[in-house]
Amino acid sequence: MRRSRAFIPTIKEAPSDATLASHKFLIRGGFINTQGAGLYNFMPLGKIVLEKIRAIVKEELDAAGCNEVQLSFVTPIGLWERSGRSETMGKEMLRIKDRHENEFVLSPTNEEAMVELVKNRVTSYKDLPINLYQINTKFRDEARPRYGLLRGREFLMKDGYSFHSSQEDMIREFDLMEATYKKIFTRLGLDFRVVAADSGAIGGEGSKEFHVLANSGEDTLVICEACDYGANIETIFDNEEVDALNEKSYEELKESKISKLCACGAELHFKKGIEVGHIFQLGTKYSSALEAHFSDENGRAKPFEMATFGIGVSRLIAAVIEQNHDENGCIWTKETAPYMVNILVSNVKDEAQSALAEELYERLKALHVEVMLDDTKERFGFKMKDAELIGFPYTIIIGKELQNGLVQIYDRKTKENSSINRDEIYEKIVELLK
Ligand code: ATP
Ligand code: MG
């Protein structure tokens, strides 16, 4: 992409409600903009990152035998009345009426609709297990939409639902999804932990959350550095205590209820986390309520054993930045960067500079490298600041030094600037991208 043709409206000042690095930099870098409270537009850079994350999620889920579907975002209220969640979901569930006064819901999650989809279509134990997922818009009328993409009202979620003939098989799938989620978050380059979690309003037993470790996280976790033990404090403390802990006064409470040592003998630590995934063992809660049955080996009708699996796809964009930024802007990981390479022409009027930039640009594109060519007439300092803010992993600087046969490669993460002979730049960048 040529910067002169790109729609990347970077801005100097973040809006005053943006307190977190991800919120500030994603808006300043022209990735997203605010449509209303908790509502965001994805501009070209934000859309590219979103699609990259979506693709990784899909690739790993498909490899694990899951089937992608896409359900209607709007669901009739009757579905929620039958499961009892019309009452329990409260004000987070946004209800709308059509011209005939029929009531609908902007789906905050899709257990009911997915059970309806499978009901009477999957009828025998022979058709099981089955795992269906979608990567689709959700709406939750959050009491406090804030922190940008971390807590939107409209957001993109991967929600998966599995159906089984026995609890044993459901637990096998739960373990498979835990392993799959670990692969996804590892590929995204995130430092994360899996912790024991509360099941909340979704219900059922057996639940684990995946948290990206970051001081800005809203959840408090107890984790062991020596083994893989981890728990959300919601599983240990009551609501008031959790509120106190989340307000960061946790040092005082620290001694009270939690043993200082893990069962493995090492010390336990409090860490802040951003919840990016949640997997639940549901059992037969929804299949019983919605009378979704299959016939077992003896021809007896039984409700499906179910599990459900969520990933905050749009939240992940912000989580990547919470973990990877500095005072100047975003630092994208290899799998999430909207463009891996930025070719910055210091002076576009200099024919030699432009010619080399064009040549490199074409060669890298031919290799399918995601490359931006900054061919704008802006000053060098402005372009560099913009590149820092957007967070291209590598910027090739073609400037005055070209007279001496040299160009620079700037590494966004290490901030190192290395001079390279112009004839070696192509091989060098290809090597760095491996
Ligand atoms: P939270 O505790 O953060 O409110 P939740 O427990 O309500 O999340 P789930 O119902 O488990 O969320 O939804 C699955 C995933 O969707 C979460 O792990 C999270 O990553 C994401 N998610 C939930 N609410 C939001 C939101 N308001 N904005 C962005 N992502 C969200
Ligand atoms: Mg949750």
Side-chain angles (χ1 to χ4, degrees):
M1 176 53 108
R2 289 173 188 275
R3 187 72 164 90
S4 58
R5 294 289 308 273
F7 177 56
I8 308 175
T10 54
I11 48 176
K12 272 213 176 110
E13 299 285 335
S16 56
D17 67 323
T19 52
L20 295 188
S22 61
H23 193 181
K24 281 186 209 167
F25 292 139
L26 289 173
I27 288 183
R28 285 194 48 212
F31 290 82
I32 56 168
N33 85 305
T34 314
Q35 172 94 310
L39 307 175
Y40 296 94
N41 297 322
F42 286 80
M43 294 193 280
L45 286 183
K47 176 72 173 154
I48 294 173
V49 179
L50 188 70
E51 289 306 315
K52 288 200 147 189
I53 296 177
R54 182 205 282 262
I56 290 170
V57 170
K58 176 173 168 57
E59 214 175 286
E60 295 298 338
L61 289 172
D62 290 356
C66 307
N67 303 259
E68 189 175 19
V69 295
Q70 184 170 311
L71 271 55
S72 166
F73 169 47
V74 179
T75 39
I77 189 75
L79 208 50
W80 303 87
E81 280 164 354
R82 278 157 57 209
S83 71
R85 281 210 287 190
S86 168
E87 295 270 322
T88 54
M89 291 294 275
K91 289 198 159 175
E92 261 191 29
M93 195 153 85
L94 188 69
R95 293 144 203 258
I96 51 169
K97 276 190 183 162
D98 70 7
R99 63 172 78 202
H100 306 296
E101 295 290 304
N102 294 317
E103 210 176 326
F104 294 89
V105 165
L106 296 187
S107 302
T109 174
N110 274 126
E111 279 76 9
E112 287 83 351
M114 208 58 98
V115 169
E116 279 291 310
L117 187 76
V118 166
K119 184 178 169 178
N120 300 329
R121 290 189 180 85
V122 176
T123 52
S124 160
Y125 73 96
K126 289 179 203 152
D127 304 328
L128 297 170
I130 197 152
N131 188 330
L132 304 179
Y133 76 96
Q134 62 175 345
I135 299 173
N136 206 351
T137 302
K138 298 284 174 294
F139 195 96
R140 294 183 182 179
D141 201 358
E142 299 272 356
R144 287 200 285 172
R146 53 184 179 167
Y147 304 147
L149 296 182
L150 288 177
R151 188 166 297 286
R153 291 199 294 169
E154 181 185 320
F155 57 97
L156 194 68
M157 193 204 283
K158 173 260 156 172
D159 47 324
Y161 308 83
S162 67
F163 298 82
H164 309 269
S165 57
S166 68
Q167 188 184 34
E168 193 187 6
D169 192 57
M170 182 267 282
I171 292 171
R172 177 205 49 75
E173 187 76 7
F174 182 84
D175 293 343
L176 173 66
M177 286 300 112
E178 177 177 346
T180 306
Y181 276 30
K182 283 182 181 166
K183 279 188 196 163
I184 291 170
F185 300 129
T186 303
R187 269 184 74 179
L188 291 172
L190 292 164
D191 181 13
F192 68 95
R193 293 297 295 253
V194 187
V195 302
D198 247 7
S199 299
I202 304 248
E205 284 179 356
S207 142
K208 287 185 180 175
E209 286 171 355
F210 297 75
H211 283 264
V212 167
L213 300 180
N215 289 334
S216 54
E218 285 191 281
D219 286 340
T220 307
L221 319 170
V222 183
I223 63 173
C224 174
E225 305 278 10
C227 70
D228 64 3
Y229 170 79
N232 189 316
I233 56 155
E234 291 168 3
T235 60
I236 304 166
F237 295 100
D238 64 31
N239 283 351
E240 263 175 38
E241 289 169 325
V242 166
D243 284 346
L245 284 159
N246 283 336
E247 291 309 322
K248 293 200 178 160
S249 56
Y250 55 82
E251 290 305 325
E252 303 129 48
L253 268 166
K254 195 168 169 175
E255 312 291 316
S256 59
K257 270 200 187 169
I258 294 180
S259 134
K260 274 180 157 170
L261 295 181
C262 177
C264 80
E267 204 182 327
L268 286 173
H269 294 276
F270 280 89
K271 284 263 165 94
K272 286 289 186 178
I274 300 168
E275 184 193 319
V276 290
H278 198 163
I279 56 177
F280 305 85
Q281 295 177 16
L282 276 178
T284 58
K285 183 181 157 103
Y286 293 95
S287 49
S288 296
L290 298 167
E291 294 169 356
H293 298 128
F294 67 96
S295 57
D296 73 5
E297 286 166 5
N298 305 312
R300 273 188 313 229
K302 279 187 176 170
F304 296 108
E305 279 288 336
M306 287 180 64
T308 167
F309 315 99
I311 294 182
V313 177
S314 51
R315 179 179 284 186
L316 272 167
I317 300 178
V320 169
I321 296 306
E322 283 305 313
Q323 225 170 46
N324 302 281
H325 67 267
D326 61 15
E327 66 283 4
N328 297 332
C330 305
I331 303 174
W332 293 101
T333 61
K334 206 172 179 178
E335 295 266 16
T336 57
Y339 292 92
M340 277 305 288
V341 179
N342 177 40
I343 303 173
L344 191 159
V345 189
S346 179
N347 175 9
V348 284
K349 287 186 193 137
D350 182 312
E351 275 175 25
Q353 288 184 23
S354 286
L356 177 61
E358 291 286 343
E359 181 198 321
L360 265 179
Y361 177 60
E362 293 302 333
R363 287 181 79 185
L364 289 173
K365 272 203 306 183
L367 261 192
H368 302 292
V369 172
E370 292 136 341
V371 56
M372 176 72 77
L373 172 63
D374 193 342
D375 55 351
T376 58
K377 295 191 179 98
E378 300 290 349
R379 284 176 299 107
F380 172 73
F382 178 93
K383 290 188 186 187
M384 240 357 248
K385 271 205 180 126
D386 228 38
E388 288 272 285
L389 175 60
I390 292 168
F392 304 102
Y394 301 106
T395 292
I396 299 173
I397 302 166
I398 303 180
K400 275 190 197 137
E401 284 292 299
L402 185 60
Q403 290 169 356
N404 308 319
L406 296 174
V407 296
Q408 274 86 42
I409 294 188
Y410 175 73
D411 182 323
R412 178 66 184 88
K413 195 168 175 186
T414 62
K415 286 180 173 290
E416 270 171 39
N417 211 348
S418 39
S419 276
I420 301 204
N421 190 297
R422 60 165 292 166
D423 299 328
E424 288 161 19
I425 181 69
Y426 175 75
E427 278 72 24
K428 178 70 189 172
I429 199 79
V430 170
E431 186 192 311
L432 285 172
L433 293 176
K434 270 185 193 150

